[in-house]
Every structure is written in C-alpha cells, then in structure tokens.
Amino acid sequence: MPRARTRTGVRPRTAALAAAAVLAALLPLAGAGASAAADDPPPVPVDRFEGEVPFAGQPADGIFTWGGDSDDSPTLALTDRSDAPEGAKVLEGSYDISGYGGFSHDFAAAEPAHDWSASKGIRFWWYGQNTAPLPPGSGKKISFEIKDGGANGEASELWTTSFTDDWEGWHQVEIPFADFTYRTDYQPVGGIDQVLGLNAMWGYALTLPTGVKGRFAMDDVELYGKADPALSAKVTTDAAVYPVKEGGSAAVKIGLATTASAPITEPVTVDYTTEGGTAESGRDYTPVSGTVTFPAGTPSGASQTVTVATTKDKAAEPAETIPVKLTVTGAKAPTETPQVVIDAHGLPYLDARLPVKKRVADLLSRMSPEEKAGQMTQAERNALSSQGDIASYGLGSLLSGGGSVPTPNTPAAWAKMVDGYQLRAQATRFQIPLIYGVDAVHGHNNVVGSTIFPHNIGIGATRDPSVAEKEGAVTASEVRATGIPWDFAPCLCVSRDERWGRTYESFGEDPALVSSMETVIQGMQGDASGKDLDRNDKVLATAKHFVGDGGTEYGSSTTGSYTIDQGVTKVTRQELEAVHLAPFGEAVKRGIGTVMPSYSSLDIIGDGEPAVKMHADAAMINGVLKQKMGFKGFVISDYAAIDQIPGDYASDVRTSINAGLDMIMVPTNYKNFTSTLEGEVAAGNIPQSRIDDAVSRILTQKFQLGLFEKPYADTSNADRIGSPEHRAAARDAAAKSQVLLKNAGGVLPLKSSQKVYVAGSNADDIGNQAGGWTVSWQGSSGNITTGTTILDGMKKDASSVTYSKDASASTDGYDVGVVVVGETPYAEGVGDVGNGNDLELTPADKAAVDKVCAAMKCAVLIVSGRPQLIGDQLGDIDALVASWLPGTEGDGVADVLYGKQPFTGQLPLTWPKSASQLPINVGDATYDPQFPYGWGLTTLKPVPHGGRAALTVLSLAAHLVKADSPAGRAVATAARRIVQQKIGDHITAASSKPFAEADHLLLTGDLKGAIAKLTAAYRAA
C-alpha cells in the first residue's frame, strides 16, 4: 500500500526560515525508513514544478487537465510557497467535479519514453487539506496512475492505484510499482499486453474526488529505491476457480509473467499443496503436493500444470471447495489462492425437469441467512474489493453502471468479463448464478460498435408499436450475446415537464402513448408467461421508475444541483392512477420481470400525509404494485437510492426491504449492506417471511432465465451485434421518428440534384445525435462509436453537399440549406434546465440558422432530447424538423430528407412557445403551444380533398371501424392531414387544444371521439 511521511507542524504561512529548518530535518527521511535501503540509488526527479515543465498537451512535454465536461477540469497553477518541500514553487489546484476530472503529465511523444525499471516506486509530496489528522484510509480517495508502453502518453496502457488524503499539511506519498494494478474500466487504446514493463513510461495522471469542492498542492515527483528483481516476475494461474463434476479432474495451470516480457534471471519455485476448504481430503479428492520450478532463463508466458482428481461417492450434496495453496520463491505470488470446486449434484433444485416453483422452494429451504442476504445484494463490478468477494458474500447480482466497461470495449471482452464474474459464483455452496444487469436503454449502448436506436422520445414519435417491439428484440439479442441476461429498461415514465433531464428516456407526455409503446417488453422478454426468457436472444426487462418520476415539480429536487430530477411529484390520487400508474399496470400484464422504483418522492394531494421517498413507499410497492396489480417479479432499487431515505443506514435497509424492495443496488457498500440486513432480520425488524418472499422472487427469475443450466455467455449471436440487419432496424426507427413541424413551400423532401449547404453543430457528430447513455453515462460529443452521422447519410443521396459547421463558408450559389442544431449529450439531473442548461439553441447554432436561412431556402433539424425554443427564428425557417436523438444511423434521417421514406412522425411532447409555459401537456385547461401534441406533417402523399365535407365522411367511417385496425388508422391519418393543412402556420390555442386531445383519444381507442376533436380543431382554424 502507498506509504506517507507527514511534515508535522508545517502551515502554508510558516516563515521561510522555519520551513527550511523543518525541511532540512525531514528530507533525509526520503532515502531511509522501512521502504528504503542503505544502498538505494539517489532519487530520480520526474517533476519539480519549478516551471521546467509547461502547461501543455501532447505531443509536447506538459501538464494538462481533463474532465467529463467543461466544469470538471480542475484549475492548476505553479505557485511560489515558502513551505515548498523542494525548490521554490509547487503545483496548486482547485476542483469541483460532478462527473470525473483530473490532470496528467505526459512526456513528449517526439522523444523516447522513459525507463523506470531500475526504481522501486514513485513518490511525491501532497498538501493535505484536513483540519485534523484522520484515521488512515478515511480521507478523500485520489487515484494515481502511470502510463506504460504504447506510442505515447495518450496511447499507452494505464496502471492504477490510489491514496487517501488523511493529513493536514505536507506529507510524502510513496507508491511501490508493485502496488499498481491494470486498469480495467478504461484503457485509451484498449490495452496492450497487460504487463507493467516500466521500461517505456510516458508519465502519470491523478483523478481527483467527485462531489465535493477541494484544493490541493503537490511537489517533487520522483522515482525512489532500487527495483527488487523478484518483483519483476509474477506467478499466475489461468483461473481462480476450477469447477469440475464429481469424479472429474481439474487442471490448474501455473504460469510465469515478467515485466517487459524478459526471461527471468533467477529461478522461481512454486510449492503447491491441496489443503483446507470444504471437501474432505481422501474422500472427496486425492490430495496432491509438490514443487514447480521455472529455471533462470525461462521466458515470460511459460506454464506448468498441476492436476487435482476428485472422487465419486454418488451422494447428493452441495458444492465443495479444494484450495490449492501456492508458496512462491523468487517472484510475486498470485493475489489469491486458486480453488477447485466439486459441483453441487443430485439436489432437487438442480433438476430442470421440475417446475420452477418446486426448484425455488427446495433451494430456499437449504439457504442460510447469509446466503439469502447475498442474493438480495447487487454490487457495481468496479466496487468489488476482490472478485473473490462474489463468493465470500454470496452476491446475487452485479451490474455495470454507465461507462463501467471492460478493456477493450468489445462484445467479446464483455462476454469474457461477465463469464469471469459468473465463474466466481461457482465457488459458493449452491452455485447460484449471478444475474448481471446493465442499462441498455436504446440498444446495447455501453458497447462500442453496437446498434444504437433513437432514445425513447424518438420511438414515441414513431407512433408505431412494431418499431418499439423491434428495438426491444434487437437490444435483447445484442445484450444477451455479451453474456448479460438483464436489462434495466424500458423507462415507463410519463414526462410532464421538458425541463427534466431525463425527458428523452420517456416515450412521451401521454400515458396512453407510453402504454402503446410497451410492445418493447415483448421484444425484450418474449411471451408474457416468461417461457422465452431462457432463449439466447431474450433478456429480463425492467419497468422504471415506479412511480411518478416524470411528474416531479421544478425546484423540488434536493439532490446536488439538480432542479427537477429526483424531486417531488405532487398529484391527486386520480392523476396518479390515470397518468403515472397506468403504464406500470400495462407492464405487469405484459409479464415484466423486474420493476425499479424512482429516486423521487410522492406527495398525494389530499391524503394528509407528507411526501414519501418511493424507495420507502410500502403502500405503493407492496400495496399497489405487488398486491393490487399482481406483480410477480422482483423489485430492484436504483443506484444507491436507499441511501436517500431519511434515517441511518440500518433504517434505510429496514424501511426499503419492508416497503417491498427485493434486491438492493447498493452499489459499492455491499459488505455493510449484507451485514446490516442480516442484523435487522436477526433483531426481528424485518420479518423472515419478507426475506423469503424477496429471495423466492429473485430465484424464480434466475431459473426462468435458464442461468442454472447455462450460466455462461452464449455468444452464437455475437456476429449480429451492430450487424447490417440490426442497423437497418435502427435506421428505419430513426426515419420514422423524424417529425416534420413546418414545410413552407414544400422545401422537403430535398432533391438529389440540388446543391445543398449544410451547417450546424449536430450535422456531423455521432456522439451528439446518440445523446446521453451512449458508451458512457453522460455520453459525449465526437466519434465515440461506429455509425453514420446525418451529414454522412446526406452525402450518399446528394450530388453536391458543402459542410461548414459554423456557416463561415460562403453561402453563394446553393439551392437549399440544411442546418442541424440542438443539444449536446447529458443524462439524468445533470441535464436539468437550471442546472447549467436551458431550452435555447446555443449562440453559435442561432447564428448558423440566421445566416443560412437569410441566404437561401432552409430546413432546420433540431437534434435534442426535448423541444427547443425556436419561436423567435421560426418565421425565417422554411422547414423545421424535430429529429430527437436518432442514434447511430444518420442514414435514417437522410432517408426522409431525400424522400426515400415519408415523414410520418408525430410529436410525443407538446412543443412550447416559451419557458414560462412549462409545464404544458395535452389536456391542460389552458393550452397554447408552438406546436401541439400529435402534430406532424407528412410527405406521404397529397392531402385528401374535400375539407369539411371529407371530415364528415371520415366521421361516419369512424363508426364502422376499430381504432387500432389498418382502416381505423387510415381514417385518423386522413383526418389529421386535412386539419393540419387547414391550420397551416396559424396554430392557435383554439385549434391546438382539440387537435392534441384527438391524438390522446385515438391512443385510448376512441376513434369517434378523436375525429370529433379533429373536426373541432378544423372549425377553430
């Protein structure tokens, strides 16, 4: 572990003389003590911070900052300080990070890499900001990484460790190179050889704490000590767990790895013996012991095999473990002892011929309180102190949060990673498989190269349930092919305020629209009975967030700087049932496997009760969801959400479990959670019946998914991830999601023969058009994954396209302009309006619209997760398109721009005129939007003739056909087109209100009422 020496008694304003005296007294310690030897070489300077290394980035030698967004990068300065441990200056900085941020020193790429292999480790002075010394390990955690191999510092391999800032004043942090581990959550080039060579080093980086403001100072980075030859080699095993059937043999491969892949200079010996564990030596297995020797000169990668044979007694029994203890001389030993595991056998729960209910009952009857608590625990994979904790704590589930990805971020690496975790569960008594979960909310969006669909708001705009079902099917196929059986989707929120940063996760503002899109559940899970869940192209789905997360009041959130997300939903009971609960009732009918409560609170007007956090609302979870609706799956918490329940941690656990939560996404605090849950049950604060119900629900889904029979990844569909077939489905969804709001003079569709001028921030940016929850939690701009931008798609259809992002190129000589503007990516409350965001276009986008639309006929596409305020420029725009967040298939947008497919999309949200109107929704007593809910022009074919008379005929026809039949849809479409033509650009409150209400009625199946409302809108126009 990193060691630190503290400079006691030193303060920032200490006189120079006193500082010099203290420094003189302490500096001799740098080469002495437990971590240094008398014959150690002198330290090798890396950074003195005297100005010899500038603030600069690659390819120059320099120090630079970075962060998740523009606010996350820390500030840095080289400052004169009288108490500087070395020289006159130190590196000082401040930070206030919400996502991630830190700074790096990269050595110049034009110069050779540095060789650190002769040194023991790296050390530096750090100025602690604590007002009093803290117990070791209790301060702010700061990650420190070094950059090994590769072409340069930004194309190297990252090795990481961390230290905690537990002190006040200067202290020296020493980190032996032996403490660094390969970084598994991110590698800039996907990793190289996963061997810390130390002979081609490119610098270092520090990742600073998030969620708190802070300052720091740093000085005198240097290499210290003499490398230990024994630590230039390490002994490995090819696995940590070796499951075998009773009577079978396990082959434990003992291998050798060296830094820089050099042959070893001294022999390495490994003594091995089978001892301990739950299996009985001589009865369950034949004991083995001996020595493996790697002579001097043995190359890196060499291995030898030890075989452990088990015996067969034919008795039914749980799994039994046989540790293979390794004692290593001359090299670094493996971090954990490998185990051979004799598989559980002969027990009823393992019999796939039995009904699931009987299998669950049998397994539950055998489980200890600790094992039950483990099944109710879900940890984030990066939070594991050791992968061995999966078995030690009997964890039931792991997840990858947004951006928690393997290296490299490929489908094969995902499957290998999940299988590695799943293997650990085989070391438990009953070998209960993990259920691994991921947020695949518009495709398998964490995986580079996967098929990314439009976000839900765009799917809602299609008004096509078959598109939603196809999206669910494609997503499920790609997710399951990476070994993941569980998806935290779909979001069934009904978004009632566009200021919400999660608006794009909703299918729309109308519960009837949301319910109609729940065909996505069948796409994911298959039959409502759950009989298809064990297929290799289906996953367990999650209805979220129960209930009311789309209705939180602006300004009610108390989470950080959020303004609306995770706030309070204030509704009457009638509004709650009609608007927010209705989609969940539909999900239960469709057999949804899991439900996730919302971070938000619910305040039912008139019941005399205060607002209740949804994770604590027993009346809604136990009473409404499980009892009234009859939900049979299990309830999973949101990320660390129970921590927001008022009270101490024991109270959080007790309250949430008693309220009906079955599994807790802890996600980091799994050790404390399991012990606390066990304690609350033992104390009688949580009934045993509640625990047994929760575990039964979890096990039922695991059995239905077929995980006991096939726990590992079935990658037979891996070649379909990002395949042409899947991308074609996403392309079609993107095309159908485009909503044509205005089309004066028939500017759209474009003609291939036209000379087109393209501008705007979102015309050529995959990251922007995919939005948040793409590769990382917040998403990011730029070329983050494979696909086609809108500009790419247009170039395939146009004979002449000129692109100028800021419209700085000359606008002379063009037939038409296309300006693609809108938002940059965000997720959740980070995107809330008022939290650094608004609904206005950026000044640069406004300027591009003004310039292009003044020079030629123009079409403006708004790529965004919610409506943008465009009213002040609308008069100068000929054609306006709501493109939403179309995903990776920009070809789909080009398809409707050039008439390969008609515009058929309709607004899933009311488009406001101003922020002062918000919230504004269909059905409001006062309703005067820029564009009403359901609005959407089409280029399908000419509008039917006849006007009022045609509407009368359609009204009669509405009495003869069903709303959801092809004839019914044709009647509604014809009527809507007649009304939209009559309204034209003169949208008024009088025509908007019945027009929007007609769309709602149509979605509820009331075709006659819808045509009557459309007729009223026609009269008002």
Side-chain angles (χ1 to χ4, degrees), residues 44-65 76-79 86 89-92 103-109 111 114 116 202-204 218-222:
V44 178
V46 177
D47 269 336
R48 300 180 62 239
F49 302 120
E50 298 300 309
E52 77 283 4
V53 178
F55 293 118
Q58 282 284 352
D61 186 19
I63 301 167
F64 61 95
T65 63
L76 298 180
L78 299 175
T79 307
E86 190 278 336
K89 296 179 184 291
V90 302
L91 178 69
E92 288 189 333
F103 64 94
S104 301
H105 177 186
D106 277 7
F107 304 143
E111 301 294 332
H114 295 204
W116 291 0
W202 291 104
Y204 63 88
M218 184 179 184
D219 199 14
D220 193 25
V221 183
E222 63 184 16

Side-chain angles (χ1 to χ4, degrees), residues 450-752:
S450 66
T451 307
I452 304 299
F453 279 79
H455 269 293
N456 282 355
I457 198 67
I459 300 297
T462 72
R463 289 298 197 284
D464 189 340
S466 70
V467 170
E469 184 169 2
K470 185 65 175 178
E471 181 212 351
V474 169
T475 299
S477 174
E478 296 198 3
V479 169
R480 196 69 183 254
T482 58
I484 299 171
W486 185 13
D487 187 359
F488 305 134
C491 186
L492 301 183
C493 49
V494 183
S495 178
R496 307 292 285 179
D497 191 331
E498 291 84 83
R499 290 171 292 189
W500 188 35
R502 303 190 82 143
T503 296
Y504 63 77
E505 294 188 51
S506 172
F507 290 113
E509 70 185 34
D510 182 354
L513 174 58
V514 174
S515 294
S516 73
M517 293 295 116
E518 291 188 51
T519 49
V520 67
I521 296 171
Q522 263 56 66
M524 289 177 155
Q525 292 193 164
D527 192 84
S529 67
K531 70 180 180 65
D532 297 327
L533 283 173
D534 61 351
R535 284 172 37 178
N536 67 357
D537 63 348
K538 295 301 175 189
V539 294
L540 195 68
T542 306
K544 64 183 188 184
H545 301 90
F546 187 82
V547 59
D549 57 334
T552 50
E553 283 195 352
Y554 187 80
S556 66
S557 180
T558 57
T559 300
S561 57
Y562 295 4
T563 57
I564 187 168
D565 190 34
Q566 304 185 20
V568 181
T569 299
K570 295 182 181 179
V571 288
T572 63
R573 187 166 293 279
Q574 181 182 8
E575 289 171 322
L576 174 66
E577 293 179 357
V579 176
H580 298 290
L581 277 171
F584 288 93
E586 177 67 19
V588 171
K589 291 176 185 177
R590 290 181 176 273
I592 194 76
T594 62
V595 170
M596 181 183 291
S598 174
Y599 282 113
S600 57
S601 301
L602 180 61
D603 187 357
I604 300 177
I605 297 170
D607 70 352
E609 299 294 329
V612 180
K613 276 284 184 184
M614 276 310 310
H615 280 74
D617 198 331
M620 295 305 300
I621 298 172
N622 280 331
V624 174
L625 178 65
K626 290 185 173 181
Q627 295 173 16
K628 184 177 179 181
M629 291 184 179
F631 173 60
K632 302 301 182 185
F634 70 88
V635 179
I636 171 71
S637 89
D638 210 333
Y639 200 92
I642 70 166
D643 297 7
Q644 295 186 9
I645 299 173
D648 60 18
Y649 193 65
S651 173
D652 296 345
V653 172
R654 177 171 65 249
T655 301
S656 60
I657 300 300
N658 284 333
L661 270 74
D662 302 306
M663 181 184 286
I664 305 300
M665 189 186 296
V666 280
T668 60
N669 198 21
Y670 59 94
K671 297 177 183 178
N672 189 24
F673 171 75
T674 53
S675 63
T676 301
L677 178 57
E678 292 163 24
E680 288 296 300
V681 176
N685 296 327
I686 300 175
Q688 186 62 51
S689 59
R690 174 75 275 272
I691 298 299
D692 289 347
D693 173 60
V695 177
S696 294
R697 289 170 177 267
I698 294 164
L699 293 177
T700 296
Q701 298 302 328
K702 289 186 177 185
F703 279 117
Q704 286 196 309
L705 284 162
L707 295 178
F708 281 83
E709 288 70 48
K710 295 181 179 179
Y712 302 114
D714 179 344
T715 59
S716 55
N717 287 331
D719 60 350
R720 302 182 69 190
I721 297 174
S723 66
E725 176 193 355
H726 285 183
R727 290 186 182 277
R731 177 177 181 167
D732 180 63
K736 290 177 177 176
S737 72
Q738 303 299 294
V739 180
L740 183 58
L741 299 173
K742 179 181 179 181
N743 195 25
V747 170
L748 295 176
L750 302 172
K751 299 177 179 64
S752 295

Side-chain angles (χ1 to χ4, degrees), residues 27 38 56 68 88 111 137 147 150 219 248 265 278 327 330 394 469 533 604 634 682 712 746 789-790 867 902 922:
L27 280 179
E111 301 294 332
K147 305 185 175 192
D219 199 14
T265 58
T278 57
T327 303
E469 184 169 2
L533 283 173
I604 300 177
F634 70 88
Y712 302 114
T789 66
I790 295 171
V922 58

Side-chain angles (χ1 to χ4, degrees), residues 156-243:
S156 59
E157 194 167 69
L158 304 181
W159 290 74
T160 188
T161 187
S162 64
F163 65 95
T164 52
D165 185 0
D166 304 319
W167 300 270
E168 180 184 19
W170 287 108
H171 55 279
Q172 191 178 46
V173 179
E174 283 191 351
I175 309 175
F177 290 132
D179 284 357
F180 285 91
T181 59
Y182 181 78
R183 186 170 169 181
T184 58
D185 59 333
Y186 169 73
Q187 290 289 343
V189 291
I192 301 171
D193 58 7
Q194 298 192 32
V195 175
L196 180 57
L198 296 174
N199 59 342
M201 303 300 297
W202 291 104
Y204 63 88
L206 286 90
T207 303
L208 298 167
T210 59
V212 291
K213 294 182 179 180
R215 293 191 58 81
F216 68 90
M218 184 179 184
D219 199 14
D220 193 25
V221 183
E222 63 184 16
L223 309 179
Y224 73 93
K226 183 179 180 181
D228 183 349
L231 297 181
S232 64
K234 63 178 179 180
V235 168
T236 64
T237 58
D238 58 329
V241 178
Y242 298 84

Side-chain angles (χ1 to χ4, degrees), residues 154-500:
E154 298 310 289
S156 59
E157 194 167 69
L158 304 181
W159 290 74
T160 188
T161 187
S162 64
F163 65 95
T164 52
D165 185 0
D166 304 319
W167 300 270
E168 180 184 19
W170 287 108
H171 55 279
Q172 191 178 46
V173 179
E174 283 191 351
I175 309 175
F177 290 132
D179 284 357
F180 285 91
T181 59
Y182 181 78
R183 186 170 169 181
T184 58
D185 59 333
Y186 169 73
Q187 290 289 343
V189 291
I192 301 171
D193 58 7
Q194 298 192 32
V195 175
L196 180 57
L198 296 174
N199 59 342
M201 303 300 297
W202 291 104
Y204 63 88
L206 286 90
T207 303
L208 298 167
T210 59
V212 291
K213 294 182 179 180
R215 293 191 58 81
F216 68 90
M218 184 179 184
D219 199 14
D220 193 25
V221 183
E222 63 184 16
L223 309 179
Y224 73 93
K226 183 179 180 181
D228 183 349
L231 297 181
S232 64
K234 63 178 179 180
V235 168
T236 64
T237 58
D238 58 329
V241 178
Y242 298 84
V244 295
K245 294 187 181 301
E246 186 187 41
S249 295
V252 180
K253 184 184 289 185
I254 299 174
L256 184 72
T258 65
T259 57
S261 299
I264 56 175
T265 58
E266 300 290 337
V268 172
T269 60
V270 183
D271 296 328
Y272 61 88
T273 181
T274 50
E275 60 179 55
T278 57
E280 184 179 337
S281 176
R283 177 179 178 274
D284 296 314
Y285 68 96
T286 302
V288 295
S289 61
T291 301
V292 167
T293 301
F294 296 100
T298 300
S300 181
S303 65
Q304 299 185 42
T305 300
V306 172
T307 300
V308 179
T310 68
T311 57
K312 198 164 188 176
D313 59 15
K314 298 183 180 180
E317 55 192 348
E320 297 171 304
T321 58
I322 310 167
V324 182
K325 183 180 178 183
L326 304 178
T327 303
V328 178
T329 303
K332 194 175 180 181
T335 54
E336 58 184 306
T337 298
Q339 296 184 83
V340 175
V341 179
I342 304 172
D343 288 339
H345 52 277
L347 301 173
Y349 77 89
L350 295 170
D351 187 350
R353 296 168 299 180
L354 292 177
V356 167
K357 190 173 183 179
K358 287 189 175 181
R359 298 178 75 183
V360 170
D362 176 69
L363 178 52
L364 186 71
S365 69
R366 301 175 186 277
M367 295 172 67
S368 68
E370 293 78 13
E371 287 164 330
K372 292 176 181 179
Q375 284 302 300
M376 296 172 67
T377 308
Q378 183 183 64
E380 216 291 334
R381 69 174 193 97
N382 276 325
L384 294 173
S385 301
S386 163
Q387 289 192 24
D389 282 355
I390 293 171
S392 299
Y393 291 87
L395 299 180
S397 179
L398 292 181
L399 81 147
S400 279
S404 179
V405 302
T407 302
N409 187 354
T410 63
W414 276 90
K416 181 180 179 181
M417 176 187 74
V418 176
D419 280 356
Y421 295 133
Q422 196 67 267
L423 178 63
R424 299 301 188 129
Q426 296 299 299
T428 59
R429 274 204 310 163
F430 300 115
Q431 297 181 305
I432 304 173
L434 291 169
I435 179 170
Y436 200 99
V438 68
D439 288 273
V441 297
H442 61 140
H444 199 1
N445 43 256
N446 279 296
V447 181
V448 171
S450 66
T451 307
I452 304 299
F453 279 79
H455 269 293
N456 282 355
I457 198 67
I459 300 297
T462 72
R463 289 298 197 284
D464 189 340
S466 70
V467 170
E469 184 169 2
K470 185 65 175 178
E471 181 212 351
V474 169
T475 299
S477 174
E478 296 198 3
V479 169
R480 196 69 183 254
T482 58
I484 299 171
W486 185 13
D487 187 359
F488 305 134
C491 186
L492 301 183
C493 49
V494 183
S495 178
R496 307 292 285 179
D497 191 331
E498 291 84 83
R499 290 171 292 189
W500 188 35

